[in-house]
Amino acid sequence: MSDFRKLKVWEKAHALALKTYKVTKAFPREETYGMTSQLRRAVVSIGSNLAEGAGRGTRKEFTYFLRVALGSTQEIQYQLLLARDLGWISSADYEPLESNAREVRAMLDALRRSLDR
């Protein structure tokens, strides 16, 4: 595996990153270096780890990067929940982002399990 762009999970993760960037533009200005930055770094981490893992060339290394990406999806899910509870994200924005994050997590987990076999 070398071209990460051929991975459906990367496509979904990339779409999640784009949507997250759009939503976080409305976060409070004082959170620019706090929650906004943290959430954006976490969402970018998913696609980045897929790209890096795909380029490593071994199943073992790719699996490692999938596990890192899985951790980032958990981080994003919490941060989205916190942002919603703080009133920074409306339920109308939160629900599709949360659904996308769950879908990416499930796809990453399925891919990881298939590589573990």
Side-chain angles (χ1 to χ4, degrees), residues 1 12 34 42 67 98 101 114:
M1 169 66 55
K12 297 281 187 179
R67 285 190 171 101
E98 167 60 19
S114 76

Side-chain angles (χ1 to χ4, degrees), residues 8-18 43 46-47 50 104:
K8 289 288 183 193
V9 68
W10 177 84
E11 290 178 15
K12 297 281 187 179
H14 183 65
L16 177 61
L18 295 173
V43 79
I46 299 169
L50 283 166
V104 168

Side-chain angles (χ1 to χ4, degrees), residues 9-25 27 34-51 65 68-80 89 96-102 104-105 108:
V9 68
W10 177 84
E11 290 178 15
K12 297 281 187 179
H14 183 65
L16 177 61
L18 295 173
K19 291 174 189 173
T20 300
Y21 264 75
K22 184 177 179 182
V23 168
T24 56
K25 283 182 181 180
F27 277 19
M35 182 74 131
T36 304
S37 176
Q38 184 69 22
L39 184 51
R40 287 177 172 184
R41 282 193 319 256
V43 79
V44 167
S45 174
I46 299 169
S48 296
N49 278 291
L50 283 166
F65 285 97
V68 174
L70 273 164
S72 294
T73 61
Q74 295 283 89
E75 184 179 358
I76 289 161
Q77 286 182 283
Y78 170 67
Q79 291 169 354
L80 290 171
I89 298 178
L97 284 169
E98 167 60 19
S99 177
N100 291 359
R102 274 195 318 265
V104 168
R105 189 180 80 209
L108 286 168

